[in-house]
Amino acid sequence: MENENTLIWEVTIWEFVFVTIILAGGAAFMTGRAIARSWLGTFHIVTYMVLLAAATRFIHFALFSGTLISLHYYVVDLIVLLAIAVLGFRMTRAKQMRRQYSFLNAGAGR
């Protein structure tokens, strides 16, 4: 298949979904969970996702003939991965807060 070069992906939609959303997105979700479990701040998410987005660009380049150094598609990958990582972070942090501070959710009469 040839590259489609759209605004969101430069490879085919299936390659973008497989590499960026499924593979790298799964890693981003687990990274967000790990950062939340260690009680680190959200700044760490940005640091790790910058590196993961670079690795994702390399996979697009090495396996699917995408461009390695493309600021536009790097930023697209970074935004997608940041959104997935923040989702994992927020879900885990909410569960931690419910478990740690369960007395705040208890009724006034108990």
Side-chain angles (χ1 to χ4, degrees):
M1 290 185 153
E2 291 187 27
N3 294 347
E4 294 179 6
N5 284 341
T6 64
L7 187 60
I8 304 297
W9 57 83
E10 75 172 325
V11 292
T12 65
I13 179 72
W14 304 113
E15 294 165 353
F16 176 79
V17 167
F18 178 69
V19 173
T20 303
I21 296 177
I22 295 175
L23 291 180
F29 187 82
M30 290 188 293
T31 302
R33 287 182 56 202
I35 291 170
R37 285 184 177 182
S38 60
W39 291 93
L40 296 173
T42 55
F43 173 74
H44 295 281
I45 292 175
V46 175
T47 304
Y48 293 130
M49 290 308 107
V50 164
L51 297 172
L52 185 60
T56 304
R57 289 302 323 147
F58 178 74
I59 292 171
H60 281 297
F61 167 73
L63 297 179
F64 303 111
S65 301
T67 56
L68 180 61
I69 302 173
S70 170
L71 182 63
H72 173 77
Y73 294 118
Y74 174 78
V75 170
V76 168
D77 287 344
L78 180 62
I79 290 170
V80 169
L81 295 178
L82 277 171
I84 294 171
V86 167
L87 177 69
F89 178 85
R90 299 287 296 174
M91 287 173 59
T92 304
R93 184 56 54 94
K95 189 166 91 174
Q96 286 175 322
M97 291 297 186
R98 280 193 312 270
R99 185 176 58 241
Q100 186 78 21
Y101 304 108
S102 60
F103 62 90
L104 292 176
N105 293 330
R110 294 182 189 179

